[in-house]
Amino acid sequence: MAFPKDFVWGTATSSYQIEGGGLDYGRGECIWHRFSHTPGKVYNGDTGDIACDHIHRYPQDVAMMAELGIDSYRFSVSWPRVIPAGTGTINQQGLDFYKRLIESLQEANITPYLTLYHWDLPQALQDKGGWENPDSVQWFMEYADLISRELGSDVKDWITHNEPFVVSMVSNLFGVHAPGQQDPVAAYTVAHHVLLSHGAAVPIIRQNVPDAEVGITLDQTYSMPYRPDNHEDQIAARRFAAFHNDWFLEPVFRGTYPADALKELDQRGALSKIDPTEISKAQVPIDFLGINYYTRYVIKASETDPSGFEQVRVDGTEHTALDWEVYPDGLLHTLLYLHNAYYPTKIYITENGCSYDDPLPINGVVDDPKRVDYYRQHIDAIEKAIELGVPVAGYFAWSLMDNFEWAEGYNRRFGLYHVDFETQERTPKKSALYYQERISQERAKA
Ligand code: IFM
């Protein structure tokens, strides 16, 4: 009976991935609009122009959530939908959409968990340098102020950022996500400002919503040395963890950068752009840590890769359609590590899920046995972590429904519900039925 009575069971989505509606209703252009409309950036030339058409179909989607039996729903606000140019003029139609969505959730007894930034930066701000510009901290504060004033009477659970690692490194170092740069100094500068903007926004949300609970979502990838007894691989695995996880955890919990990050900032010449001591401002009290967990990386020392590490694919391991290894024990290890190294008061798994090449629906259901297994094993890992004393307070499956999977377009499906992107019909997968059943069993036991 590990899951406490008040354990939160939910699903997650994000604005650009599901809303659609193009640039209608006064929505400003975001960096993903620009990026996905640039040939060659997204698989098949897909864009989020229509996505799941959630902007028009949210009542039906909320009804679907109610049927699933979740008690909470994590969504994000599209910054350019509410402030089209990023700062200044407010788009009332955009705010009204979120008010209507929250009202429908409340009518269905579903608690909203609101993420302020899930990657759709207004293009107008990117044109001024985006997160590389130190003013981005101020822009985010204004945006956080508006949203918490407007929606705070009905939303008590707030997440400032989703996956700053992706916002900085995947988008500005690897160049795979918008805005698509490959520049380490830019990436590290972005990480710095995103972290500072988190620290600056938390007190604003608290002031506007006195009973709010506020946190941040960091993606965590568990890593292990390829040859467990090999010193070089051990160092490489640790470097990977510092780069991917602790670069963000340490600022948020301790107000410092890990030694590896400081060395990297120095070697890359990033110290002319940022003052690393400023990072103390990223450490403000938070009510919870959100983590997104998907996979593990097995890491080997590399003499050719400038990072000093490379990923190795281990034979005989199960991989998803995105080639991400299925490794539920990594979630348990991650939770124990976070608990023992950073002591968050409360942890939410704000995302966890998998993409598989699902068959088409037959008789009103999609048969997705691998996703069922994935969910079962990861929820079991959380149960174990709770038994061992980790304060996990909730779980949000990624994702409610198939959606725009960023650079992979509609080619990769993470949903509990299948979406036919021609007709917009939603069909439950067997994983949705499993999740529904598991929630009701765990509630009955608690
Ligand atoms: O779809 C994404 C989500 O937007 C952020 N976390 C990972 C998911 C799967 O790639």
Side-chain angles (χ1 to χ4, degrees), residues 28 75 102 105 118 144 173 183 186 198 262 305 322 376 383 392 398-399:
F75 67 96
I102 291 163
L105 290 167
H118 197 128
L173 177 58
D183 174 351
H198 157 76
L262 282 175
D305 195 293
L322 273 170
R376 179 185 300 113
E383 189 164 16
V392 187
W398 183 271
S399 178

Side-chain angles (χ1 to χ4, degrees), residues 187-206:
Y188 304 159
T189 309
V190 165
H192 190 68
H193 294 142
V194 167
L195 285 162
L196 292 182
S197 77
H198 157 76
V202 172
I204 295 173
I205 301 168
R206 288 200 197 291

Side-chain angles (χ1 to χ4, degrees), residues 2 332 335-336 338-340 343-347 381-393:
L332 174 60
L335 288 168
L336 289 168
L338 294 170
H339 180 51
N340 292 315
Y343 317 108
T345 324
K346 196 151 94 167
I347 300 177
I382 297 166
E383 189 164 16
K384 181 98 194 168
I386 296 173
E387 277 164 12
L388 293 171
V390 185
V392 187

Side-chain angles (χ1 to χ4, degrees), residues 56 113 179 192 289 417 428:
H56 300 118
Y113 280 63
H192 190 68
L289 170 67
Y417 286 80

Side-chain angles (χ1 to χ4, degrees), residues 302-344:
S302 169
E303 283 179 9
T304 48
D305 195 293
S307 66
F309 54 76
E310 63 185 81
Q311 188 190 3
V312 183
R313 199 180 200 279
V314 180
D315 290 342
T317 47
E318 166 71 17
H319 289 251
T320 68
L322 273 170
D323 211 22
W324 296 356
E325 187 189 345
V326 178
Y327 196 73
D329 280 354
L331 176 54
L332 174 60
H333 286 293
T334 296
L335 288 168
L336 289 168
Y337 172 70
L338 294 170
H339 180 51
N340 292 315
Y342 294 104
Y343 317 108

Side-chain angles (χ1 to χ4, degrees), residues 75-84 86 90-92 94-96 98-99 102 113-117 139-160 201 204-206 208-209:
F75 67 96
S76 74
V77 170
S78 155
W79 186 342
R81 191 181 286 293
V82 293
I83 315 178
I90 293 159
N91 176 32
Q92 192 57 44
L95 280 174
D96 289 346
Y98 294 108
K99 288 183 180 170
I102 291 163
Y113 280 63
L114 187 153
T115 305
L116 282 169
Y117 188 70
W139 303 334
F140 189 68
M141 286 164 70
E142 284 172 31
Y143 166 58
D145 181 46
L146 173 76
I147 301 302
S148 52
R149 270 191 289 109
E150 290 284 339
L151 305 182
S153 54
D154 295 310
V155 177
K156 303 299 168 200
D157 296 280
W158 293 77
I159 295 166
T160 52
I204 295 173
I205 301 168
R206 288 200 197 291
N208 291 339
V209 191

